[in-house]
Amino acid sequence: MQLAPPDPSILARRDRIIADLQRLLPGAIVHEPAGLATYDSDALSAYRQRPLACALPANKDEVSTLLAYAAEQNLPVVPRGAGTSLSGGALPRPDGIVIGLARMNRILEIDLENRCAVVEPGVTNLAVTRAVEGDGFYYAPDPSSQVACTIGGNVAENSGGLHCLKYGITTNNLLGVELALPGGERVRLGGKALALGGLDLLGIVTGSEGLLGIAVEATLRLRPRPPVTRTLLVAFDTVAAAGRCVADIIGAGIIPAAMEFMDRRAADAVESYCAPGYPQHAEAILIIELDGVEGEVRDGVARVEHIAGTCGASLVRLAANEAERARIWAGRKAAFAATGKIAPDMLCMDGTIPRRALSDMLAAIAAMSARYGLAFCNVFHAGDGNLHPLILFDAMREGELARAEAFGAEILTLCVKMGGVLSGEHGIGVEKRDLMGAMFDEEDLAQQQRLKCAIDPKRLLNPDKVFPTLSACVEQGHMHVSGGRLPFANLPRF
Ligand SMILES: Cc1cc2nc3c(=O)[nH]c(=O)nc-3n(C[C@H](O)[C@H](O)[C@H](O)COP(=O)(O)OP(=O)(O)OC[C@H]3O[C@@H](n4cnc5c(N)ncnc54)[C@H](O)[C@@H]3O)c2cc1C
C-alpha cells in the first residue's frame, strides 16, 4: 500500500502552522513528538505515520474554526475518535493535522418521548446505553470495542456489532447528524422528526469514513430493552455443521438478536484468556441470543434447540442466569484481544458473504492458511454473514506481515467472488483501499469519487483513504463542482 508523499511546502511551514493553531485553540494543540506518538496509528498498527499536529477541539465551533483554517492553508485533515479503527481510517498524514474529537464527549439530551439521545461525537458507544439503561432503554449497535470507540467513529464507519442481526447497524439507528463540512460550514441532516423526501444525505454520510465532513453531533435512536433475553451456547464437532445450523435457523424464519461463531482455536484462546466457560474440544461454537416477550423467546429457544439437534450439535446449553450470560458475552467481546495468547500479531479481516456460502468459505480459508504457512482463527457475526478471520503472524519475522496481508487480500477477494463485499463493518480505510477494484469497476469508482470531490473539492478530508486514486475527479474536471457545495446547498446552516 502506497500513500501519497507529503507536501514539502506544508512541511516547510510546520512551525508557522503550529503557532497559528495554538493561537486559534490555545492549550488544545499537541505537537511534541512524545504527545503525537499516540496519534501515529489506529488499531491497524501495521501502518504508522506521525501527524504534523493534533488539535483537540472542545466544541463544534472550534471544529469549524479548524476546518476553515485547514481549507485556507490547504492542510489535509484526519478526523479521529478513539482510534480503534481496524482499517487504518484514522491513520494520519505527516503533512496534515489530526482533529481528535474525544474531548467532545457530552450527552446533550435524552429524549425518551421521542426515543432518542443527542450526543457529541466523542461520547463512547457504551456511554449511551449506560445513560439510559436505568429507564429501560439502550442503544442497539454494540461493537466489541464499545467501551472505547466513539459515536463519531461509529457514524463514520457505519459500525455494527454483536446484536446487529435483529436491530441493524449504525445506519438503522442513526436519526440525524450535524456535519462540519470542509471549510467549516455546518449542516444538519435528519434529526428527531421523520424526514422523508429528497436525497438520502444522511445515508450518504453514514459510513463515509471521514471523507465528507466531521460529525459534530449525532441523534441516536433508543430502543426499549426487551423484557426477556436468553442466550444459548451450542457446540459442534465440525465447522460445516455449525454453518448449516446458522443457515437452518435463519431459513426457519427465526431472527435471533445475535448469532456469533467461533472456531476451536478462537474459543480455546478466549477460554485461556478470560475463562468464560466455553466447551472444550468443540470444533465450532455458536452463541445464539433470543429476545422479546416470554412466550416468544421460550418458543424460539425450543426451535433453535431442535434445529441444533438436527444439525448434530454435541452440546446445547442455555445460560442459567444473567451472570452466566454476561460471562459468555465477555468472552466473545475479548476474542480479538485473546489472540495475543497465541500469536504476537494479528490481522483482522472483515468481509461478508451470503450465508449459504459459509462452509465453502471456511474450507477455502483453511486451504489458504496451509498455502501461506500462517495460522488463523475465525470469529464472526454468523447471522449476517460478516466474517472476521483473524490471521496470526509475527511481524518480527521477515516477510510475515506481507504474507499475512496477501492472505487477507485473497480472503476478501474471494468474499466478493462469492457474492459478498469487502467490508461488513470495519470500513475500507487504507487497509482495503487497493482492493476496491475487485468490487467496483472504474466507472463505479469514478461516480463515488465525484461525490467526494463535489463536497471536498480540495480533497483535504481524510485523503489516501477508501479510493485507490482520486484521478476521476481531476481528469474529468469534477474538482470544482459548485465550490464543493452542491449536495448540501439547501440545508440549514450555522
Ligand atoms: C477490539 C476491537 C473490536 C472491534 N469490534 C468491532 C465490532 O464488533 N463492530 C464494528 O463495527 N467495529 C469494531 N471495531 C472497529 C472500531 O471499533 C469501529 O470502527 C469504531 O466505530 C471506530 O470508532 P473510533 O471512535 O475508534 O474511530 P477512529 O478509529 O478514531 O476513526 C475511525 C474512522 O472514523 C473517522 N472519524 C472518527 N470520528 C469522526 C467524526 N466525528 N466525524 C467524521 N469522521 C470521523 C476517522 O477519520 C476514521 O476514518 C473493533 C475494533 C477493535 C480494536
Side-chain angles (χ1 to χ4, degrees):
M1 196 238 354
Q2 279 226 306
L3 300 173
D7 180 341
S9 75
I10 295 179
L11 297 181
R13 285 184 281 135
R14 182 176 187 275
D15 291 348
R16 173 72 200 280
I17 290 168
I18 289 171
D20 286 347
L21 290 170
Q22 286 173 323
R23 185 176 38 79
L24 291 171
L25 258 70
I29 306 300
V30 182
H31 63 95
E32 300 295 343
L36 282 182
T38 310
Y39 303 97
D40 281 2
S41 80
D42 53 26
L44 183 66
S45 54
Y47 302 120
R48 291 183 174 274
Q49 300 197 117
R50 186 139 306 174
L52 194 141
C54 174
L56 301 170
N59 57 53
K60 48 179 109 166
D61 287 338
E62 291 186 353
V63 174
S64 289
T65 301
L66 289 165
L67 287 172
Y69 177 74
E72 181 194 302
Q73 298 289 323
N74 286 326
L75 265 185
V77 169
V78 175
R80 180 181 171 109
T84 65
S85 168
L86 288 163
S87 58
L91 181 73
R93 280 186 61 91
D95 57 357
I97 59 168
V98 167
I99 298 188
L101 285 313
R103 282 178 73 206
M104 293 174 63
N105 61 358
R106 289 174 306 156
I107 294 180
L108 301 172
E109 188 188 355
I110 291 171
D111 179 352
L112 296 181
E113 277 178 23
N114 285 301
R115 293 203 177 169
C116 66
V118 183
V119 305
E120 290 187 323
V123 168
T124 64
N125 174 291
L126 189 59
V128 180
T129 290
R130 288 277 182 266
V132 295
E133 62 192 355
D135 293 305
F137 287 84
Y138 75 116
Y139 177 58
D142 59 344
S144 301
S145 52
Q146 67 182 156
V147 67
C149 69
T150 66
I151 291 298
N154 292 177
V155 170
E157 300 286 18
N158 194 10
S159 295
L162 304 174
H163 288 82
C164 292
L165 178 58
K166 186 168 178 182
Y167 298 106
I169 54 176
T170 300
T171 191
N172 309 108
N173 292 279
L174 181 69
L175 299 173
V177 155
E178 185 175 338
L179 192 73
L181 298 171
E185 214 171 352
R186 297 201 298 271
V187 292
R188 270 185 193 280
L189 310 173
K192 289 184 185 180
L194 189 63
L196 297 176
L199 298 177
D200 179 11
L201 297 173
L202 183 60
I204 289 170
V205 165
T206 312
S208 60
E209 303 196 28
L211 267 69
L212 303 181
I214 296 186
V216 291
E217 189 182 291
T219 305
L220 309 174
R221 185 191 304 284
L222 298 176
R223 295 180 187 269
R225 195 49 96 189
V228 178
T229 304
R230 298 261 193 280
T231 305
L232 292 139
L233 203 51
V234 187
F236 296 88
D237 293 336
T238 66
V239 164
R244 213 169 39 248
C245 184
V246 169
D248 287 356
I249 289 171
I250 300 292
I254 303 166
I255 308 284
M259 185 149 54
E260 295 288 307
F261 173 106
M262 259 185 255
D263 68 9
R264 179 173 180 166
R265 196 178 277 123
D268 286 354
V270 169
E271 194 56 34
S272 76
Y273 181 73
C274 59
Y278 292 165
Q280 301 291 284
H281 313 305
E283 284 305 315
I285 62 170
L286 294 177
I287 303 170
I288 304 172
E289 187 154 283
L290 295 124
D291 65 12
V293 293
E294 179 67 44
E296 176 193 11
V297 175
R298 199 183 322 113
D299 176 59
V301 167
R303 293 175 69 202
V304 167
E305 284 173 336
H306 174 74
I307 293 170
T310 61
C311 291
S314 55
L315 172 126
V316 182
R317 194 172 87 212
L318 187 63
N321 50 42
E322 190 50 36
E324 188 182 352
R325 193 182 145 246
R327 247 192 340 268
I328 291 172
W329 282 118
R332 169 59 187 87
K333 287 182 185 177
F336 293 0
T339 59
K341 284 267 182 193
I342 50 177
D345 296 289
M346 177 270 280
L347 267 188
C348 173
M349 296 296 109
D350 166 46
T352 71
I353 50 166
R355 268 183 295 264
R356 72 184 134 67
L358 202 54
S359 296
D360 289 348
M361 186 67 189
L362 296 177
I365 294 173
M368 287 178 213
S369 160
R371 203 156 19 87
Y372 285 100
L374 291 176
F376 72 100
C377 57
N378 264 316
V379 178
F380 56 83
H381 310 310
D384 43 21
N386 184 190
L387 306 179
H388 292 320
L390 308 176
I391 299 172
L392 308 173
F393 68 103
D394 181 351
M396 300 304 280
R397 287 207 194 128
E398 177 101 28
E400 279 211 4
L401 171 61
R403 266 204 338 271
E405 288 182 322
F407 184 179
E410 195 173 329
I411 294 174
L412 294 176
T413 311
L414 185 59
C415 286
V416 174
K417 279 191 191 138
M418 285 184 161
V421 298
L422 291 175
S423 173
E425 55 181 14
H426 295 170
I428 301 298
V430 288
E431 181 213 11
K432 308 178 197 91
R433 186 194 68 175
D434 295 345
L435 296 175
M436 286 286 272
M439 194 159 78
F440 299 107
D441 66 20
E442 273 187 25
E443 188 48 34
D444 287 337
L445 282 173
Q447 288 291 41
Q448 293 178 45
Q449 290 169 27
R450 285 178 194 119
L451 179 63
K452 157 74 176 167
C453 295
I455 295 165
D456 181 17
K458 291 180 163 183
R459 295 175 294 160
L460 294 178
L461 266 184
N462 222 359
D464 289 332
K465 314 290 165 59
V466 181
F467 299 116
T469 66
L470 281 175
S471 55
C473 304
V474 182
E475 286 162 10
Q476 299 174 24
H478 286 271
M479 292 291 292
H480 305 292
V481 178
S482 291
R485 296 183 47 177
L486 185 61
F488 298 117
N490 300 318
L491 292 164
R493 281 159 203 287
F494 300 84

